[in-house]
Amino acid sequence: MQVNEYKPKIVAFCCNWCSYAGADLAGSNRLSYPAEVKVIRVPCSCRVNPMFILRAFQRGADGVILCGCHPGDCHYTSGNYYTRRRMALLFSMLDYLGIEKERTRVEWVSAAEGAKFAATMNDFVQTVTALGENKRLEDLRCKK
Amino acid sequence: MQKITRDALIEKAQTLLDSGVVTRVLGWKKGDFDYDVTPALFTDIESMKKDFVFGDFCGANFSKYLLKETKKIGVEGKVLVFLKSCDTYSFNQLLTEHRFDREKVYAVGIPCDGMVDVNKIKAIVGDGIVSIDDSAEVIKVETLYDGVKELNKADILLERCANCKSRKHVAYDELMGEDGEVIDSNRFDEVEKLEKMSADERFAFWQNELSRCIRCNACRDVCPACTCEKCVFNNPNSGVENKAAANSFEEQMFHIIRAFHVAGRCTDCGECSRVCPQHIPLHLLNRKFIKDINSFYGDYQAGETVGSRAPLTNFTKEDLEPSEAVNREDK
Ligand code: SF4
Ligand code: SF4
Ligand code: FES
């Protein structure tokens, strides 16, 4: 019998210098993580404007995760410290508007943490799958 | 608190104009009705005597008008601006962001005991307001159908005045009357109430509020913190430059981004909520950011001093993680 299993759409913004390399390492170590995760490479986690996150939801993402170097290790010295403040405020605001807080996440993943990358993605996909489709931040105009 | 009269302000303007300290005056002018006072520029004292008004409907904050006024080419001399205590915070914030030339402005601080919200009056007396006499504490409203009604000023204050955060002027060249104090207001009470609701209730609350938005952009245009010459909301590719016919996404996106762009720079001057034709409580979004900033990164009041570093362009190595931020009990 065929079951139409719900598969969420996940966008993962990964900074070039740590997390993207971490994703690479996960790949070369043959650690698997769900194919629902679409990785978008950004120069630094602080390249991610709050609008990018909202735009991802608008275009149909069910969860958005942002990965960068560990605090103190940013390739540009302090980018991720700004990210941390911005996202703390943005996520708190999304929660205030009644949008499920489990749909957004920030995680620090270094280039050596392939295993952490895979584990984080597995966990995040599971969480978002349990929540189901993103209904509160969707844009019908962007629906196929 | 002593009341400042229209005559006293005209006299002040006359002295400054006559002595050449200023060449023009930013002030309030009567609109079609007593309650729709509009900002205006006066260049001579005769026109001021004719049109200038000062009363309970002079909520308009002139700080942002200084941007345009100080950039005029071929206009000599300083511009006189009257600033209420809340306006002076916006004034400082604009100076912090290098948005106008302080040398071209002469700021006179004026005491304020609160401005009135005409919508609250309309809610009580109904339509057909003919005239409003706001010269005393008891405000007399004459209506077409119902004669004269007397209202208590305290009952019809603008939201921001009912929750005034400071009667203290933080910037001026000269102060008329006595200065007030920073007030320990209850301005975060409503935010706290919302925080205590469940996510579903909050979502329903905001959907009800935000779906009324007609995307007139008045809240952006009036905001002294929104001073970009090119605004993201004018970009036709942004997906949120217009009111969408269908669902709620574009409203939420607009409001999150609007509030986020002024987070840490919003002085809580209350202009956005005052001008919204749809009566959307925009201050509840701004104050959420202010409240979070205070509790995450320490108390910060935008515009209190010139040159202070805004919380979002600053950091410490010990800042809390976003996951901690959304799971805090006291947020
Ligand atoms: S967002 Fe509203 S309260 Fe804040 S500075 Fe702008 S107009 Fe004033
Ligand atoms: S002023 Fe009110 S109706 Fe106009 S864009 Fe702002 S929130 Fe929407
Ligand atoms: S380069 Fe990785 S967070 Fe800045």
Side-chain angles (χ1 to χ4, degrees):
Chain A
M1 190 181 78
Q2 197 190 346
V3 185
N4 275 339
E5 206 187 321
Y6 165 65
K7 292 217 191 312
K9 294 194 194 73
I10 307 287
V11 173
F13 290 101
C14 294
C15 93
N16 180 46
W17 303 99
C18 282
S19 311
Y20 194 78
D24 234 8
L25 186 67
S28 40
N29 283 351
R30 297 186 170 276
L31 298 168
S32 71
Y33 62 88
E36 289 81 61
V37 179
K38 313 291 178 210
V39 176
I40 298 180
R41 180 165 64 156
V42 285
C44 172
S45 65
C46 102
R47 175 66 185 88
V48 176
N49 178 324
M51 223 159 149
F52 292 7
I53 306 228
L54 297 179
R55 179 59 70 90
F57 283 123
Q58 178 191 23
R59 296 282 161 100
D62 298 310
V64 181
I65 182 165
L66 168 54
C67 301
C69 315
H70 283 267
D73 290 345
C74 171
H75 188 72
Y76 307 97
T77 323
S78 51
N80 50 8
Y81 287 124
Y82 295 107
T83 305
R84 188 157 68 175
R85 283 205 168 185
R86 269 180 223 156
M87 294 306 146
L89 290 176
L90 177 69
F91 292 1
S92 177
M93 177 54 85
L94 288 174
D95 179 40
Y96 183 64
L97 292 182
I99 288 135
E100 304 93 337
K101 57 187 172 199
E102 293 82 6
R103 290 195 191 277
T104 44
R105 195 181 289 189
V106 168
E107 205 69 57
W108 312 119
V109 180
S110 85
E113 294 177 324
K116 178 172 179 187
F117 184 87
T120 303
M121 292 307 156
N122 277 310
D123 181 67
F124 189 56
V125 170
Q126 232 171 41
T127 313
V128 177
T129 310
L131 281 177
E133 257 182 279
N134 158 35
K135 284 275 175 220
R136 296 196 164 167
L137 269 184
E138 70 178 356
D139 191 333
L140 295 178
R141 294 169 297 173
C142 294
K143 286 258 140 121
K144 289 234 174 64
Chain B
M1 181 157 309
Q2 72 283 41
K3 227 169 151 98
I4 283 281
T5 60
R6 169 181 185 264
D7 291 341
L9 294 179
I10 294 184
E11 204 183 304
K12 174 62 67 193
Q14 181 150 29
T15 323
L16 291 166
L17 282 167
D18 287 350
S19 60
V21 176
V22 300
T23 56
R24 53 213 194 281
V25 182
L26 263 176
W28 302 270
K29 181 180 170 180
K30 186 175 173 292
D32 289 343
F33 299 96
D34 288 341
Y35 51 81
D36 59 356
V37 171
T38 56
L41 187 75
F42 300 96
T43 48
D44 58 83
I45 202 70
E46 277 66 46
S47 62
M48 244 187 119
K49 281 182 178 153
K50 191 164 145 270
D51 291 330
F52 179 81
V53 290
F54 185 70
D56 289 338
F57 295 98
C58 295
N61 174 351
F62 286 144
S63 307
K64 194 176 184 180
Y65 291 81
L66 294 172
L67 267 63
K68 221 169 162 189
E69 213 29 64
T70 54
K71 280 201 194 78
K72 281 189 180 160
I73 296 169
V75 180
E76 296 287 315
K78 297 190 182 201
V79 54
L80 166 62
V81 64
F82 295 117
L83 298 176
K84 305 181 291 296
S85 48
C86 53
D87 305 341
T88 61
Y89 287 80
S90 314
F91 186 87
N92 270 352
Q93 184 59 29
L94 287 165
L95 283 176
T96 301
E97 295 168 12
H98 309 287
R99 302 302 280 152
F100 69 89
D101 185 353
R102 180 71 178 87
E103 295 304 310
K104 293 187 178 165
V105 178
Y106 191 85
V108 170
I110 52 174
C112 169
D113 58 356
M115 294 291 163
V116 156
D117 186 350
V118 69
N119 297 309
K120 290 193 182 163
I121 298 182
K122 284 181 182 165
I124 300 172
V125 305
D127 280 337
I129 298 174
V130 181
S131 71
I132 301 178
D133 175 6
D134 57 1
S135 54
E137 246 345 76
V138 175
I139 292 170
K140 296 198 183 83
V141 184
E142 191 192 337
T143 63
L144 266 181
Y145 317 109
D146 235 0
V148 176
K149 291 219 171 145
E150 297 196 343
L151 301 175
N152 253 328
K153 182 167 168 180
D155 302 331
I156 49 173
L157 285 176
L158 278 169
E159 190 284 335
R160 78 164 189 253
C161 302
N163 290 311
C164 179
K165 65 181 183 300
S166 173
R167 292 251 157 88
K168 186 178 158 185
H169 295 73
V170 290
Y172 52 84
D173 290 304
E174 179 184 337
L175 191 65
M176 290 176 81
E178 262 169 60
D179 208 1
E181 297 287 329
V182 174
I183 301 168
D184 201 10
S185 76
N186 298 325
R187 61 189 172 125
F188 296 117
D189 287 5
E190 287 290 310
V191 177
E192 266 162 38
K193 237 188 252 165
L194 272 166
E195 285 170 347
K196 295 215 174 76
M197 293 181 183
S198 72
D200 289 345
E201 287 167 337
R202 281 199 296 269
F203 186 74
F205 171 85
W206 283 112
Q207 211 175 22
N208 177 37
E209 295 292 343
L210 301 185
S211 61
R212 294 201 309 270
C213 176
I214 54 172
R215 281 307 302 282
C216 63
N217 285 343
C219 50
R220 174 201 68 180
D221 294 341
V222 79
C223 173
C226 276
T227 56
C228 299
E229 281 171 18
K230 282 194 175 166
C231 176
V232 55
F233 298 126
N234 289 348
N235 173 5
N237 296 324
S238 68
V240 285
E241 91 287 8
N242 257 319
K243 173 82 180 167
N247 62 334
S248 67
F249 174 84
E250 161 280 332
E251 289 141 11
Q252 290 159 332
M253 176 106 159
F254 171 75
H255 285 94
I256 297 169
I257 296 295
R258 187 205 61 79
F260 198 93
H261 280 186
V262 296
R265 308 188 297 116
C266 165
T267 61
D268 201 5
C269 72
E271 283 289 86
C272 45
S273 296
R274 180 180 71 86
V275 299
C276 178
Q278 296 296 88
H279 316 312
I280 296 171
L282 294 161
H283 54 275
L284 294 181
L285 295 172
N286 305 324
R287 284 182 191 159
K288 170 65 178 167
F289 277 131
I290 297 174
K291 183 168 175 286
D292 277 353
I293 286 170
N294 287 347
S295 88
F296 298 169
Y297 312 120
D299 284 353
Y300 179 83
Q301 171 60 53
E304 197 171 2
T305 51
V306 178
S308 62
R309 200 162 159 185
L312 277 175
T313 56
N314 207 349
F315 65 85
T316 70
K317 293 186 173 164
E318 291 75 37
D319 284 342
L320 85 175
E321 295 292 332
S323 56
E324 293 166 337
V326 289
N327 291 318
R328 265 168 82 114
E329 285 301 312
D330 62 330
K331 72 179 165 66

